[in-house]
Amino acid sequence: MLVAHGVPLVNGRTFAELGHFAAVLTGLACYPPARGLPRRKTERAPRSNVPAQ
């Protein structure tokens, strides 16, 4: 992932490549703290009690 976004950053040096590389670094930095969190069960929102017309 770092190579895939690092090579275009070195070759192109545009704002978009810098942003993508920063997003990869942010995601990698946030992985260790998030890894220890318990998974939440997803529940659907309750449907309205109003009958369809």
Side-chain angles (χ1 to χ4, degrees):
M1 187 65 80
L2 290 174
V3 172
H5 290 286
V7 170
L9 176 64
V10 172
N11 291 335
R13 294 189 182 165
T14 67
F15 192 68
E17 276 112 12
L18 178 62
H20 287 106
F21 192 73
V24 168
L25 291 179
T26 302
L28 291 174
C30 291
Y31 176 73
R35 183 178 52 197
L37 296 176
R39 288 187 174 227
R40 294 186 331 185
K41 293 182 180 179
T42 57
E43 297 180 15
R44 289 187 154 188
R47 291 186 179 218
S48 174
N49 292 332
V50 178
Q53 295 180 0

